[in-house]
């Protein structure tokens, strides 16, 4: 039985009619046309579907849309546009942190959560934080480099902001 | 102006990928879209005695349900496109849906089309099928023996082919040899696991008779060709679009029944149909890789000269012959048995065997990793038996750098190489002598460190079309490009290759920008749509840059030649008196007279003042067919420590020195190496597809199939040497598969080296802790070694 | 992957949850959903109705409780890792949480969900056993507290009965100066333990005064290790530790699977116990 669900996505309220069984990732992709969030597995392993809910990285394939009602959601489309990239997007580009790009949105969302709590992660900390995000193309070397680079950018921005 | 060719510029494709605005197949949404879902066989081998779809047809939202018998006469079975000659190849029918027999767990039985994804999925549960189970066999060696279950009436002993490669006199060499070693090697089944599962969207316009198929494809022109066969639809009525493709690694080369079913339904229903694979469906039905059981031998002299190599290989093909399957364990495998070495006597016999597993086809490296692995494992084993250092044995047997082009015993002609230089470069990164000393000392304290070397070669840049024809490949292996210059000097290049992560929108733009002396931002590469790209053969076999990149280069040169004619005309000079400098044509000695590329583009496109006999417009097409394959090479070194208590392998350093000729974009080459190496490390350490005896896939999800995670993989150190290839105008070789071809053997060589004190001569990959520990226990029990290095 | 249809409601109060459970109408509870939703997607579970208990405030959070701690069943792993009380008093909780799932799963998965689900490879049961945790459950009929060592009964089987809700977990104070450790050998794909050992040890002067070790991953259920009792009263000499570790798996029915044969698991049990004890002893004051 369909019901109306109001989701707060990338700062906008969006109402959709969905069944309770609808997964958040399907609603984002099929109903809200936010196709930057991908589906790469069915067992919560790959992390391609990662979004932020209440600012925390979550696998949207393992959340029902009805569960997410009332919580702010951020998808890759809410991070930055091509002409105003988020530091993580910029660093993934600079450091060649992606090849086919399918896992990239999820990687960026998880990294965003990591950098919120750890502004200066080591290589090992980054690799541990990415346990729930699989990439088959890059061998992870440049993803780790990209996240370190973004962390440095964010820290520099913060200290510049503090100085000003 | 710094050269664009050779610079590590950022990728052109990335802005859309990092912002979530790229369009992958499942992102395609059309008005009136319907959704398909498959019912797949739960049995590996069974007779279908009854299929009842009546309840499914009545279910909410269901538009149609198709069974094997519904579509049998509407479509041609899925073709196999690599008819390897001289091996009595037998290719049984592979119907779009099983009609009376299912041959692997995952074989399609019925397809539902409904208004929503959920309704299609719900209706699949309502289909009632009676099966009469039959015995299964997933082991290719056992399946080839008399008495094994028979999977196809017309294929005795399930043997699809027996293929032999021979050069020199292997039997004689082994008879005379002072040192002989042999191994039984299992190259386990692997699941390619492109992060994007397969998907297809088909839309048919009944009025125009045009079918448009968006499909996760590495080679849309091949898909157009094979869909034309399967659907009995004229090829010019089919448009195949490979939009953004989320990785392939070989698994998106083949034609599958699924996209043909989706197309048939779209034609039947007059509405667009979308199907997207679940990961667990992907693991069951998308092609798998490797699956060899190999009996291999090497022989030579006591002083380390390798004189012979012999193999007997059982290559599992799975239930049906997938698109390129017969060519993988033969042409792409047996022909490179000589590796980087002058092995004068080679004899290989490969049996292609049908089993009750999912079809096996090209997976990153496709046949060549299996060859490099067996050769490099044998070289280490041979060195050990001869009491020689594995580095010295490699040096002694390398094809010398001044002997190229070099014809190996299997008949291939290697284009160029300098194997010792790559080995030296890799060894510079470590202190080999000291490592050996520390290793010995460590053994006494129960610290098991090891070093694994691999000096690989590969055959890629597939390849000359004449050879393709001679070896039964059902297509060409040239590739193509149209370079089209717009009046404003902007350039679009339409290519036959179909990159899906390899970055050719950037590297090919670099080729053109370099040629025209223009900013790389003004060049755009268009690919993946058969309606606007010239006939090409796709992206696989590390071929795109060597073959399609060369087509781009040739087409750009043709454009430049025409531009030169126009420049000469405008400057009222002889063509011979013009020189190209700083992105301009100028009369030699009078640089103020120069005409920049942009001016010539405008002149050509408006056509106001063309040279006599020269058509307006500025574009050129090239079909580039190389004169030979290219043979990249390199040396990889892996340093490991094994925890003998748990069997856990810790990769402490990984060094990759590769030579793929001149690098157009070193950053992209390095990325390809990183990814390839990790794919091989996964194969070496943790990836394995396991079926039980009844043919059920036990590693059917990512909960059980261990795709490498960031936390499980080491940092990778890279370097390179540069040995140009003479067979294409760029001098480039391939780099997409090199990492995978080298790394699996490097790891296993390192672990076996670390465990020398136990007297362990081989452990089959993946080297999971459980397997390594078991090997140590078995060695201890047999008394092969005491673990202290004093045997 | 699409679950079969079900109805969904958000519970506003504990009473509403207990009433729903008392009705015994097949309602399944969902909080983080990280145990249940994967089963729904594979249609291994097809409940008629889901009741979302994630928004009941009294089920969430970590609080001080009689010099120990009280953990609400709906507390996420992330919240456990960020709790100052747990970090100070029960560092073992943070240590085990780092091995559970991944960053995203820890943001959403709850301790109560994992404990009630009782996956045989789950990490938390062994830890709760060594910490002598009490598991509080409620129903319309009343409340009861179940010791962790009695709570886990088999694969996906616990002492919870159909109408009961797991509300919170009580961790009594650990012995003064105790050291703890969690050593897990994870299956490469799922990250679940092939074998894991949780250990807590206290010493008075140099003599072991308290020890608890529990194992997970071996079979159907987490096991308390009896052999470690021999350590009490010793100075934890290497020979004693070796003996204890070697005997740790005695009497446990160990199951093999495609990732680790039973024989390997048996061996690894000794390694895990020994390494967990060594680490716990090193941390004990």
């Amino acid at each position: 039985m369909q019901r109306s669900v109001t989701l707060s996505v990338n700062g906008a309220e969006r109402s959709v009619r969905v069944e309770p069984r609808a997964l958040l990732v399907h609603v984002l992709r099929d109903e809200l046309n936010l196709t930057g969030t991908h589906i790469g597995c069915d067992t919560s392993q790959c992390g391609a579907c990662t979004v932020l809910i209440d600012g925390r990285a979550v696998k949207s394939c393992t959340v029902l849309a009805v569960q997410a009602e009332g919580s702010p959601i951020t998808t890759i489309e809410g991070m930055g546009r091509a002409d105003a990239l988020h530091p993580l997007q910029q660093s993934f580009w600079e450091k060649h942190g992606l090849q086919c790009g399918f896992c990239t949105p999820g990687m960026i969302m998880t990294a965003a959560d990591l950098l919120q709590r750890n502004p200066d992660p080591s290589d090992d900390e980054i690799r541990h934080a990415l346990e729930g995000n699989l990439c088959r193309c890059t061998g992870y070397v440049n993803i780790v480099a990209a996240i370190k680079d973004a962390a440095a950018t964010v820290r520099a921005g913060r200290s510049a902001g503090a100085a000003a | 102006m710094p050269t664009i060719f050779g610079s590590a510029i950022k990728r052109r494709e990335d802005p859309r990928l990092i912002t979530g605005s790229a369009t992958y197949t499942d992102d395609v949404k059309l008005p009136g879209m319907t959704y398909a879902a498959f019912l797949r066989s739960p049995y590996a081998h069974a007779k279908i005695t009854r299929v009842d779809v009546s309840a499914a047809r009545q279910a909410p939202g269901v538009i149609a349900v198709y069974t094997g018998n519904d579509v049998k006469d509407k479509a041609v079975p899925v073709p196999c496109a690599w008819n390897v000659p001289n091996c009595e190849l037998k290719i049984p029918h592979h119907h779009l849906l099983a009609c009376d027999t299912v041959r692997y767990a995952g074989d399609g039985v019925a397809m539902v089309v409904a208004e929503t994804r959920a309704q299609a999925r719900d209706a699949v549960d309502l289909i009632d099928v009676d099966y009469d189970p039959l015995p299964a066999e997933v082991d290719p060696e056992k399946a080839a023996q008399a008495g094994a279950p028979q999977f196809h009436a017309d294929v005795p002993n399930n043997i699809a082919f027996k293929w032999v490669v021979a050069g020199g006199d292997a039997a004689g060499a082994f008879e005379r040899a002072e040192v002989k070693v042999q191994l039984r090697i299992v190259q386990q089944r692997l699941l390619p696991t492109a992060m994007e599962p397969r998907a297809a969207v088909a839309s048919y316009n009944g009025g125009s008779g045009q079918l448009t198929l968006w499909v996760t494809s590495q080679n849309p022109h091949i898909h157009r060709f094979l869909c034309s066969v399967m659907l009995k639809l004229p090829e010019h009525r089919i448009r195949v679009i490979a939009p953004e493709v989320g990785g392939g690694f070989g698994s998106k080369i083949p034609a599958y029944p699924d996209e043909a079913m989706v197309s048939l339904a779209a034609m039947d229903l007059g509405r667009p149909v979308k199907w997207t694979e679940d990961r667990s469906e992907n693991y069951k039905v998308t092609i798998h890789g490797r699956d060899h059981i190999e009996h291999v031998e090497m022989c030579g002299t006591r002083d380390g000269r390798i004189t012979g190599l012999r193999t007997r290989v059982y290559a599992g093909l799975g239930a049906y012959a997938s698109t390129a399957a017969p060519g993988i364990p033969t042409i792409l495998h047996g022909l490179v048995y000589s590796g980087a070495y002058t092995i004068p006597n080679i004899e290989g016999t490969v049996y292609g065997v049908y089993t009750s597993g999912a079809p096996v086809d090209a997976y990153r490296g496709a046949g060549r990793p299996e060859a490099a692995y067996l050769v490099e494992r044998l070289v280490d084993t041979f060195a050990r038996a001869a009491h020689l250092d594995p580095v010295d044995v490699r040096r002694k047997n390398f094809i010398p750098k001044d002997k190229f082009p070099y014809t190996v015993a299997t008949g291939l002609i290697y284009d160029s190489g300098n194997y010792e230089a790559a080995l030296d470069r890799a060894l510079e990164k470590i202190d080999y002598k000291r490592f050996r000393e520390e290793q010995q000392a460590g053994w006494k304290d129960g610290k098991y460190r090891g070093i694994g070397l691999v000096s690989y070669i590969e055959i890629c840049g597939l390849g000359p079309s004449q050879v393709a024809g001679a070896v039964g490949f059902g297509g060409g292996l040239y590739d193509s490009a149209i370079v089209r210059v717009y009046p404003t000097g902007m350039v679009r290049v339409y290519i036959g290759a179909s990159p899906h992560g390899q970055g050719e929108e950037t590297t090919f733009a670099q080729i053109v920008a370099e040629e025209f002396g223009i900013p790389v931002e003004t060049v755009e590469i268009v690919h993946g749509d058969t309606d606007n790209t010239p006939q090409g053969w796709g992206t696989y076999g590390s071929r795109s840059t060597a073959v399609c990149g060369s087509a781009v280069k040739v087409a750009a040169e043709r454009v430049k030649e025409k531009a030169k004619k126009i420049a000469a005309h405008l400057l009222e000079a002889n063509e011979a008196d013009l020189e190209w400098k700083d992105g301009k044509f100028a009369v030699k000695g009078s640089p103020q007279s120069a005409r920049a590329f942009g001016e010539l583009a405008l002149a050509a496109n408006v056509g106001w003042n063309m040279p006599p006999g020269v058509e307006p417009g500025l574009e050129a097409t090239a079909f580039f067919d190389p004169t030979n394959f290219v043979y990249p090479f390199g040396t990889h070194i892996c340093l490991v420590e094994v925890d003998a208590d748990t069997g856990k392998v810790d990769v402490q350093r990984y060094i990759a020195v590769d030579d793929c000729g001149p690098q157009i974009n070193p950053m992209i080459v390095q990325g390809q190496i990183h990814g390839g190496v990790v794919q091989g490390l996964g194969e070496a350490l943790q990836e394995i597809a396991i079926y039980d005896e009844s043919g059920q896939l036990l590693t059917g999800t990512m909960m059980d199939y261990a795709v490498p995670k960031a936390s499980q993989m080491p940092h990778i150190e890279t370097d390179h040497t540069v040995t140009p290839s003479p067979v294409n105008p760029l001098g480039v070789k391939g780099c997409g598969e090199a990492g995978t071809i080298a790394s699996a053997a490097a790891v296993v060589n390192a672990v076996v080296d670390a465990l020398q004190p136990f007297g362990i001569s081989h452990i089959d990959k993946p080297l999971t802790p459980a397997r390594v520990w078991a090997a140590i226990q078995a060695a201890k029990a047999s008394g092969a070694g005491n673990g202290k290095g004093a045997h | 992957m699409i679950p079969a249809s079900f109805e969904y409601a958000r519970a506003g109060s504990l009473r509403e949850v207990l009433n729903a459970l008392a009705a015994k109408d097949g309602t399944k509870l969902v909080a983080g959903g990280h145990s249940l939703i994967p089963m729904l997607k594979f249609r291994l579970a097809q409940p008629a109705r889901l009741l979302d208990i994630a928004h009941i405030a009294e089920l969430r959070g970590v609080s001080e409780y009689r010099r120990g701690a009280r953990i609400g069943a709906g507390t996420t792993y992330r919240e456990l890792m960020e709790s100052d009380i747990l970090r100070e008093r029960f560092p073992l909780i943070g240590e085990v949480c780092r091995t559970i799932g991944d960053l995203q799963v820890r943001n959403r998965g709850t301790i109560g969900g994992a404990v009630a689900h009782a996956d045989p490879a789950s990490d938390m049961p062994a830890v709760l056993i060594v910490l002598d945790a009490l598991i509080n459950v409620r129903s319309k009929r009343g409340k009861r507290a179940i010791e962790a060592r009695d709570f886990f009964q088999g694969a996906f089987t616990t002492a919870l009965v159909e109408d009961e809700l797991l509300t919170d977990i009580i961790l009594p104070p650990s012995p003064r100066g105790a050291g703890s450790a969690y050593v897990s050998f994870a299956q490469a794909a799922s990250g679940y333990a092939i074998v894991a050992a949780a250990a807590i040890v206290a010493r008075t002067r140099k003599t072991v005064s308290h020890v608890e070790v529990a194992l997970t991953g071996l079979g159907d259920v987490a096991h308390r290790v009896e052999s470690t009792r021999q350590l009490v009263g010793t100075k934890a000499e290497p020979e004693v530790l070796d003996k204890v570790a070697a005997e740790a798996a005695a009497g446990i029915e160990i199951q093999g699977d495609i990732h680790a044969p039973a024989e390997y698991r048996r061996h690894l049990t000794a390694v895990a116990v020994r390494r967990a004890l060594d680490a716990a002893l090193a941390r004990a004051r």
Side-chain angles (χ1 to χ4, degrees), chain A residues 21 29-30 33 35 38 40-42 45 76 89 93-94 96 99-102 127 131 136-140, chain B residues 11 14 18 24 26-27 29 117 122 191-192 195 279-280 363 501 671-672 674-675 687 708 710-711 713:
Chain A
R21 62 169 162 166
R29 291 177 50 76
D30 292 349
N33 294 317
T35 54
H38 299 143
C41 78
D42 33 33
Q45 245 75 33
I76 188 67
Q89 293 170 317
W93 191 13
E94 301 277 350
H96 189 29
Q99 290 180 24
C100 82
F102 195 76
R127 285 179 180 271
E131 272 188 319
R136 195 62 155 163
C137 294
T138 64
Y140 301 106
Chain B
R11 294 204 321 169
D14 287 4
I18 55 182
Y24 296 85
D26 187 61
D27 302 342
K29 210 169 173 181
R117 292 183 204 261
D122 290 346
L191 306 178
M195 290 314 301
R279 177 60 64 192
S280 43
Y363 168 60
Q672 290 294 308
H674 288 159
E687 293 184 37
S711 57
M713 290 293 121

Side-chain angles (χ1 to χ4, degrees), chain B residues 117-118 121-122 125 278 280 643 645-647 686 690 698-699 701-706 709 712 769-770 773, chain C residues 1-5 41-43 46 185 187-192 258-261 263-264 267-268 271 275:
Chain B
R117 292 183 204 261
R121 172 64 190 82
D122 290 346
D125 284 352
D278 293 323
S280 43
D643 179 343
D645 270 351
T646 62
Q686 57 190 55
I690 301 174
L698 302 180
T699 52
T701 72
M702 285 184 173
M703 297 281 283
D704 290 300
Y705 187 80
K709 300 174 190 177
Q712 295 165 330
W773 180 80
Chain C
M1 278 288 145
I2 297 170
S5 289
K41 284 162 70 175
F42 280 91
R43 301 195 177 199
Q46 300 198 11
F185 297 107
Q187 194 253 84
S190 67
Y192 279 132
I258 55 169
H259 303 291
E263 191 194 354
Y264 177 63
H267 165 77
L268 217 49
V271 179
R275 290 184 184 182

Side-chain angles (χ1 to χ4, degrees), chain A residues 37-38 44-53 55-60 74-76 79 86 88-89 92 102-119 121 125-135 140 143 146-148 150-151, chain B residues 710, chain C residues 78 101-107:
Chain A
T37 303
H38 299 143
S44 312
Q45 245 75 33
C46 84
C49 65
T50 303
V51 301
L52 302 181
I53 299 181
R56 293 179 173 194
V58 166
K59 292 177 174 173
S60 63
T74 307
T75 68
I76 188 67
M79 292 296 276
H86 183 279
L88 276 162
Q89 293 170 317
F92 269 72
F102 195 76
C103 74
T104 312
M107 287 282 175
I108 288 174
M109 304 316 282
T110 301
D113 185 331
L114 170 68
L115 295 189
Q116 275 170 29
R117 57 176 107 173
N118 184 351
E125 286 168 338
I126 293 169
R127 285 179 180 271
H128 182 66
L130 296 180
E131 272 188 319
N133 291 82
L134 298 176
C135 169
Y140 301 106
I143 292 178
I147 294 173
K148 278 194 103 148
Chain C
R78 163 113 177 232
D102 51 51
L103 181 144
Q104 296 96 310
V105 168
R106 293 191 292 270
N107 276 341

Side-chain angles (χ1 to χ4, degrees), chain B residues 336 368 413-416 457-464 541-543 545-547 550 624 626-633 660 724-728 731-735:
Chain B
V336 288
R368 290 151 293 163
I413 303 168
Y414 291 7
D415 61 339
S416 63
I457 61 102
E458 60 157 321
I459 178 174
C460 70
L462 313 177
S542 303
R543 68 185 298 275
T545 306
V547 185
S550 295
F624 179 80
T627 53
N628 189 2
F629 301 100
V630 291
Y631 295 81
F633 59 90
C660 59
S725 171
V727 308
N728 65 63
V732 299
K733 301 186 175 185
C735 64

Side-chain angles (χ1 to χ4, degrees), chain A residues 58-73:
Chain A
V58 166
K59 292 177 174 173
S60 63
C61 75
T62 312
V63 178
L64 304 171
V66 287
Q67 286 179 291
E69 192 162 27
S71 303
I73 299 164

